[in-house]
Amino acid sequence: MTTLLIHDGAADPLAPTPRTGGVPLVPEGFAWPECGECEGAMQFLAHLPLDTDVVAVFQCQNDPGLCDEWDATGGGNKAFRFAAEGLVPAVVPEEGETRLGAVSALRAERVAADGFAEALDQWADGGGEPRLVQGQLGGAPAWVQGDETPDCPACTAPMAFAAQLEEGHDHATAANFGGGGIGYVFTCGDCREAAFLWQC
Ligand SMILES: [Zn+2]
Ligand SMILES: [Zn+2]
C-alpha cells in the first residue's frame, strides 16, 4: 500500500489536520526558527500529524537558493516533531518571508500500489488529476537524486521516513523546492526529532 497526499481544497490556517501553509501549531513558548545562514525568520511549509505527534516543517525563503535550504543540516531549514496535545498557534514574526500564499488541505488516500511511482500511475489511471497529488505519507521515499536519509541529531541512528511533499498544486502559492523539486520529511520517534531536505 502507498498513502498518497491529495490536495483537498483550501484549509483553515489553524487546522489540526494535514495541510501546507497557514500557521504552525506549537508548544507554549516556541521560538519561530531563524535561518542559520541569513538569520531571517523561516517560512512555514507544512503541518503533518503523525500518530500522537505533529511535524512542522520550515525553510528559509529570504534569499531563495542562497541559504542551503535544501540541506537537512545546513541551517537553512528546520523541522520539529511535537507531542500533539496542548499545541497553540505560533506567533508569526512580522519580518521575513514567513507564510505560503495559500493554506491547502492534504487528504490521505491509500492506494494498492508498491511505491510512489506506481501509486501515481494508478491515481492517473483512475481518472485522478496528477497535479493534485502532493506527495505521500510514510512508505519509502521516491528520491529525485540519491538516498540522503539523515541521521538523528540526538541518537545518530538513521531517521525514519515520514512524508514527501511536492511544491504545491498551484505555482503562485507553492513552496520553493528549486523548481519542481520534492521535499522529504524524516523523524526519530524516540528522540522526538525531525529533519527536512529537498532534491530537484
Ligand atoms: Zn536564510
Ligand atoms: Zn534519535
Side-chain angles (χ1 to χ4, degrees), residues 35 37-40 60 62-63 67:
C35 176
E37 294 288 326
C38 74
E39 300 180 0
C60 181
N62 298 297
D63 280 315
C67 294

Side-chain angles (χ1 to χ4, degrees), residues 1-171:
M1 292 299 273
T2 300
T3 304
L4 293 177
L5 290 171
I6 308 294
H7 171 69
D8 200 26
D12 185 277
L14 302 178
T17 44
R19 58 180 157 89
T20 55
V23 174
L25 303 179
V26 298
E28 299 266 10
F30 173 80
W32 192 280
E34 290 177 356
C35 176
E37 294 288 326
C38 74
E39 300 180 0
M42 288 189 185
Q43 182 180 60
F44 175 62
L45 299 179
H47 170 91
L48 299 170
L50 212 64
D51 303 324
T52 58
D53 289 358
V54 162
V55 174
V57 182
F58 297 78
Q59 74 168 352
C60 181
Q61 277 298 285
N62 298 297
D63 280 315
L66 296 180
C67 294
D68 289 353
E69 55 266 39
W70 54 86
D71 191 300
T73 57
N77 72 51
K78 184 79 185 155
F80 299 90
R81 178 169 176 153
F82 304 127
E85 205 174 305
L87 298 182
V88 296
V91 177
V92 181
E94 287 176 18
E95 300 272 319
E97 293 292 324
T98 55
R99 300 265 311 260
L100 290 176
V103 191
S104 304
L106 298 172
R107 174 169 54 82
E109 180 153 325
R110 285 167 67 80
V111 177
D114 185 19
F116 183 66
E118 199 180 305
L120 258 185
D121 283 347
Q122 283 198 25
W123 168 260
D125 288 349
E129 259 197 79
R131 75 179 182 90
L132 295 182
V133 176
Q134 293 300 297
Q136 66 170 336
L137 205 57
W143 296 107
V144 178
Q145 310 286 345
D147 184 340
E148 287 189 284
T149 300
D151 292 334
C152 174
C155 71
T156 72
M159 297 177 95
F161 176 65
Q164 74 183 51
L165 296 169
E166 305 285 328
E167 293 184 324
H169 74 290
D170 173 9
H171 184 71

Side-chain angles (χ1 to χ4, degrees), residues 151-159 187-193:
D151 292 334
C152 174
C155 71
T156 72
M159 297 177 95
T187 76
C188 180
D190 290 344
C191 303
R192 277 223 164 97
E193 293 279 354

